[in-house]
């Protein structure tokens, strides 16, 4: 006997998608629907809630296979547009990390460094179809005699071009301030001295794992929107920690969950993925991800109706505490305040600015909605769960609101 | 009444003339200096907001041009390429005049108010996707 009054399956939802009968809304629209109808009626009427996020996700990279050359090479070292890729994966496989910097980059020799070009840019250039200069070196073997090759390639020349990101779509994230008396240049942007500004990096109510806080529908094998193409969740993201402190809606107050994702770069579009140069910090990649959440029961209707004011985030000092790994925080705020533009720390009112694009998160959720509505995108049932939270019990969290 | 932010460049041979003072006394214009620099080869660059009656403004600008001062209106020199910009917000904290800002808190779109820009160039350095350009500005 189920704990829920509404019970749907992924197969039933896919059947509705096939017959163009499925009701799909984005996570912003779901807030109003649940507000008006309640969770049970909302669960009956809505089948899928689409989410989206588009921000810098450093733990990203691309696995490429450039095919065998004549004569063959066992590439030990590989460079793409002068950015080194990891070559010690079979003969003509290489993995280029989003954070790899270009050869002879001045880095932070003149601080803050500009980091004009790197792995993230190579990935964007590949996806947009640009020519990439490939250099590979090997030591020569009987079966792979060549010691150096050089050639121009595009994504279409590659046997495989796979985006393979070990940690994306962090469930929630820190809010950053700087309590020191110097401007600092971080992956959380420019932070001015004496807490003159704060930055945050999440799409809040639209972000994928905010809408499935206990990973009840998103798991290994979930099909997702990845940078314009179809991708999959392949594992929990590195550093995935389901047992972080949660609020009474079940939403964690900091990082917590994360996703490892994979997808075919040949399907992707540079509109949804961008190489990033972070002043004084390094090179990275902005990745657009959308996750469809099936509304299997009223509990999922409840979770997907979460709104910005119900999502908390801890404030951390990136000037002193963070680099020293000092376990300290400056209190909690929520995404309503962050989005409106001010938070308060002690008696100080601090202006806030985002780093993750809410504007593009909406576009991604809408694009995914469109694809599902047109029968071009179907949901998958995960083959295994991500590591789950000890806090979860069916209907425990909705009960606080009934 | 007109008010514009302008980058003025003075050649070495003219860098000792009292241009701004003349603008004020002969052309009735008011100015607010935002940045003044003299480079190693003694050419000067002044960023000012110049205000006054339309006619005075025009004549003042002509006077500068006649004296070999190169003039660049800031609002004509800063651009955002919205094919590159994805509205992340990295540029916002470094903009000293809120020329870059999010006005609409629903869409969270990053917008540029060119008339507020003082051509400091911080946003150009900070933008992670190099979407902001400030022409001829070094």
């Amino acid at each position: 006997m189920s704990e829920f009054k509404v019970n749907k399956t992924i197969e039933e939802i896919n059947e509705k998608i096939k017959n163009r009968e499925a009701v799909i809304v984005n996570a912003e629209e779901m807030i109003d629907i649940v507000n008006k109808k309640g969770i049970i009626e909302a669960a009956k009427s809505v089948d899928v809630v689409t989410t989206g996020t588009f921000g810098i996700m450093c733990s990203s990279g691309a696995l490429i296979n450039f095919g065998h050359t004549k004569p063959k090479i066992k590439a030990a070292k590989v460079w793409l547009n002068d950015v080194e890729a990891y070559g010690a994966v079979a003969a003509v496989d290489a993995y280029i990390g989003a954070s790899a910097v270009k050869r002879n980059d001045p880095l932070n020799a003149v601080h803050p460094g500009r980091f004009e070009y790197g792995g993230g840019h190579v990935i964007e250039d590949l996806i947009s179809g640009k020519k990439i200069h490939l250099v590979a070196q090997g030591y020569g073997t009987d079966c792979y005699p060549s010691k150096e090759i050089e050639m121009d390639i595009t994504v279409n020349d590659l046997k495989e071009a796979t985006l393979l990101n070990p940690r994306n779509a962090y469930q929630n994230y820190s809010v950053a301030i700087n309590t020191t008396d110097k401007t600092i240049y971080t992956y959380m942007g420019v932070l001015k001295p004496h807490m003159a500004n704060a930055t945050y990096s999440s799409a809040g109510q639209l972000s994928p794992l905010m809408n499935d806080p206990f990973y009840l529908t998103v798991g290994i094998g979930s099909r997702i929107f990845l940078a314009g193409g179809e991708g999959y969740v392949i594992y929990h993201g590195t550093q995935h920690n389901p047992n972080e402190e949660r609020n009474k809606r079940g939403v964690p107050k900091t990082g917590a969950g994360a996703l490892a994702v994979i997808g075919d770069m040949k399907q992707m579009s540079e509109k949804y993925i961008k190489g990033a140069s972070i002043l004084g910090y390094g090179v990275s990649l902005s990745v657009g991800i959308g996750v469809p959440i099936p509304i299997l029961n009223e509990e999922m209707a409840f979770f997907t109706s979460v709104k910005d004011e119900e999502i908390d985030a801890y404030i951390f000092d990136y000037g002193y505490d963070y680099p020293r790994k000092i376990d300290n925080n400056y209190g909690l705020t929520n995404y309503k305040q962050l989005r409106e533009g001010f938070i308060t720390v002690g008696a100080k009112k601090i202006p806030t600015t985002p780093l993750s694009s809410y504007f593009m998160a909406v576009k991604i959720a809408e694009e995914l909605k469109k694809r599902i509505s047109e029968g071009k995108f179907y949901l998958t049932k995960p083959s295994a769960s991500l590591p789950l939270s000890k806090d979860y019990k069916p209907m425990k969290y909705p009960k606080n609101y009934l | 009444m007109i008010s514009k932010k302008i980058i003025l460049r003075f050649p070495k041979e003219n860098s000792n003339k009292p241009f701004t003072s003349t603008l004020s006394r002969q052309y009735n214009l008011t100015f607010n200096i935002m940045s003044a620099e003299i480079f190693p080869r003694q050419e000067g660059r002044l960023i000012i907001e110049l205000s006054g009656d339309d006619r005075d403004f025009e004549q003042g600008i002509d006077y500068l041009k006649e004296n070999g001062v190169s003039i660049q209106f800031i609002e004509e020199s800063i651009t955002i390429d919205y094919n590159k910009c994805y509205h992340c917000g990295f540029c916002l904290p470094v903009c000293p005049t809120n020329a870059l800002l999010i006005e609409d808190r629903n869409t969270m779109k990053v917008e540029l108010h060119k008339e507020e820009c003082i051509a400091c160039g911080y946003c150009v350095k900070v933008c992670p996707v190099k979407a902001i350009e400030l022409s001829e500005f070094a």
Side-chain angles (χ1 to χ4, degrees):
Chain A
M1 191 56 204
S2 169
E3 299 90 340
F4 308 118
K5 295 203 169 74
V6 180
N7 290 283
K8 285 189 259 183
T9 65
I10 303 275
E11 292 79 5
E12 284 163 10
I13 292 173
N14 277 339
E15 194 59 26
K16 283 189 181 176
I17 294 171
K18 196 173 138 199
N19 299 327
R20 307 285 190 279
E21 289 163 357
V23 176
I24 305 122
V25 302
N26 72 37
E28 242 182 24
E29 295 164 329
M30 190 62 172
I31 296 168
D32 286 339
I33 294 170
V34 169
N35 199 22
K36 281 184 195 133
K37 295 187 168 186
I39 59 173
I40 292 170
E41 288 308 309
K44 283 180 190 163
S45 61
V46 176
D47 299 303
V48 183
V49 170
T50 60
T51 63
T53 183
F54 194 178
I56 288 176
M57 305 184 192
C58 284
S59 189
S60 298
L63 188 62
I64 63 160
N65 177 293
F66 49 89
H68 283 292
T69 51
K70 203 171 177 179
K72 289 180 176 177
I73 187 168
K74 179 179 180 296
K77 280 185 171 286
V78 179
W79 291 266
L80 299 165
N81 282 354
D82 244 3
V83 181
E84 188 164 8
Y86 186 72
V89 242
V92 290
D93 286 325
Y95 183 80
I96 181 149
S99 310
V101 293
K102 198 170 176 167
R103 198 156 21 182
N104 299 326
D105 189 296
L107 307 173
N108 269 334
V110 179
H111 189 260
R114 302 289 286 268
F115 301 95
E116 299 278 359
Y117 193 88
H121 301 95
V122 172
I123 293 168
E124 179 187 343
D125 284 348
L126 272 171
I127 288 167
S128 57
K130 287 189 188 149
K131 254 190 200 148
I132 304 283
H133 191 65
L134 181 148
V135 176
Q137 290 172 351
Y139 43 78
T141 71
D142 290 340
C143 45
Y144 296 107
S146 199
K147 289 190 176 163
E148 177 150 348
I149 55 160
E150 231 179 283
M151 57 187 178
D152 285 334
I153 51 146
T154 69
V155 74
N156 294 316
D157 302 324
L158 298 172
K159 295 268 183 207
E160 303 285 343
T162 310
L163 195 70
L164 172 54
N165 301 348
R167 184 176 66 258
N168 279 182
Y170 236 133
Q171 189 160 16
N172 196 346
Y173 214 78
S174 314
V175 178
I177 54 167
N178 170 19
T179 66
T180 70
D181 53 12
K182 261 188 1 203
T183 296
I184 57 169
Y185 299 85
T186 73
Y187 71 84
M188 292 295 280
V190 179
L191 295 167
K192 294 184 276 191
H194 308 295
M195 305 193 280
N197 72 309
T199 58
Y200 67 98
S201 189
S202 172
Q205 64 194 13
L206 260 185
S207 192
L209 295 180
M210 299 287 197
N211 287 280
D212 185 3
F214 290 101
Y215 332 111
L216 301 173
T217 69
V218 182
I220 296 170
S222 289
R223 185 179 293 134
I224 60 170
F225 173 103
L226 181 58
E230 269 184 18
Y232 293 88
V233 173
I234 50 169
Y235 209 56
H236 58 272
T238 52
Q239 300 177 18
H240 175 89
N241 178 7
N243 293 317
E244 290 281 6
E245 183 186 339
R246 289 171 187 262
N247 67 13
K248 65 174 184 170
R249 274 209 67 123
V251 179
K253 298 176 184 176
T254 186
L259 304 175
V261 302
I262 200 164
D264 175 11
M265 287 164 73
K266 295 180 190 189
Q267 294 177 22
M268 294 177 188
S269 153
E270 69 271 25
K271 199 175 148 193
Y272 300 108
I273 193 161
K274 286 171 193 291
S277 302
I278 308 172
L279 189 66
Y281 175 74
V283 176
S284 191
L285 188 67
S286 281
V287 186
I289 292 180
V291 176
I293 315 276
I295 304 305
L296 302 175
N297 51 50
E298 62 270 35
E299 188 175 55
M300 287 320 296
F302 168 78
F303 284 134
T304 51
S305 70
V306 69
K307 41 186 183 284
D308 280 341
E309 54 264 52
E310 297 165 328
I311 307 173
D312 304 299
Y314 274 112
I315 302 160
F316 295 102
D317 172 24
Y318 275 64
Y320 191 84
D321 297 339
Y322 183 90
R324 289 169 182 78
K325 207 173 185 288
I326 293 169
D327 186 14
N328 183 33
N329 70 70
Y330 284 76
L332 280 168
T333 180
N334 66 53
Y335 283 90
K336 184 166 188 258
Q337 293 177 338
L338 289 165
R339 236 175 109 185
E340 282 172 353
F342 288 97
I343 57 169
T344 311
V345 173
K348 197 174 162 75
K349 200 177 166 196
I350 305 175
T352 59
T353 53
L355 304 169
S356 170
S357 175
Y358 194 86
F359 182 81
M360 283 304 293
V362 174
K363 295 245 184 256
I364 288 167
E366 279 298 291
E367 175 62 23
L368 180 55
K369 187 167 113 183
K370 186 167 160 262
R371 290 186 193 182
I372 301 170
S373 311
E374 291 170 353
K376 291 177 181 157
F377 190 109
Y378 287 87
L379 274 51
T380 55
K381 195 174 170 182
S383 47
S385 290
L386 304 176
L388 300 175
S389 164
K390 287 182 286 209
D391 281 342
Y392 176 74
K393 278 189 194 73
M395 290 306 279
K396 170 180 163 188
Y397 289 90
K399 265 180 199 141
N400 299 336
Y401 292 81
L402 291 175
Chain B
M1 181 71 188
I2 189 166
S3 180
K4 282 190 191 286
K5 297 192 174 69
I6 316 173
I7 305 169
L8 306 176
R9 286 190 181 76
F10 306 89
K12 178 183 170 184
E13 51 277 13
N14 273 343
S15 58
N16 57 350
K17 286 191 185 167
F19 287 110
T20 41
S21 163
T22 308
L23 284 175
S24 167
R25 296 173 71 162
Q26 283 190 23
Y27 296 92
N28 249 334
L29 298 168
T30 59
F31 60 86
N32 179 18
I33 298 176
M34 285 168 294
S35 149
E37 276 180 281
I38 296 173
F39 295 109
R41 289 184 184 166
Q42 291 175 25
E43 65 282 21
R45 187 184 68 198
L46 191 62
I47 302 181
I48 59 171
E49 181 168 16
L50 192 63
S51 317
D53 284 343
D54 291 18
R55 231 182 104 84
D56 291 337
F57 188 90
E58 239 169 74
Q59 287 177 344
I61 294 287
D62 286 345
Y63 154 75
L64 291 172
K65 283 180 182 166
E66 280 157 19
N67 283 279
V69 179
S70 96
I71 290 169
Q72 196 184 348
F73 292 101
I74 292 176
E75 59 185 46
E76 287 166 14
S77 60
I78 184 152
T79 52
I80 294 191
D81 180 348
Y82 278 107
N83 289 318
K84 290 183 183 165
C85 171
Y86 70 104
H87 307 277
C88 63
F90 268 78
C91 58
L92 300 170
V94 298
C95 181
T97 59
N98 283 334
L100 287 157
L101 82 170
I102 293 175
E103 269 182 318
D104 183 342
R105 298 280 155 178
N106 286 316
T107 64
M108 298 299 281
K109 203 173 169 189
V110 175
E111 289 177 88
L112 169 65
H113 288 262
K114 294 184 174 190
E115 66 286 0
E116 302 295 331
C117 174
I118 56 166
C120 69
Y122 290 140
C123 58
V124 176
K125 287 185 194 156
V126 164
C127 176
V129 293
K130 304 176 191 82
I132 309 175
E133 247 185 82
L134 203 47
S135 63
E136 295 173 52
F137 187 78

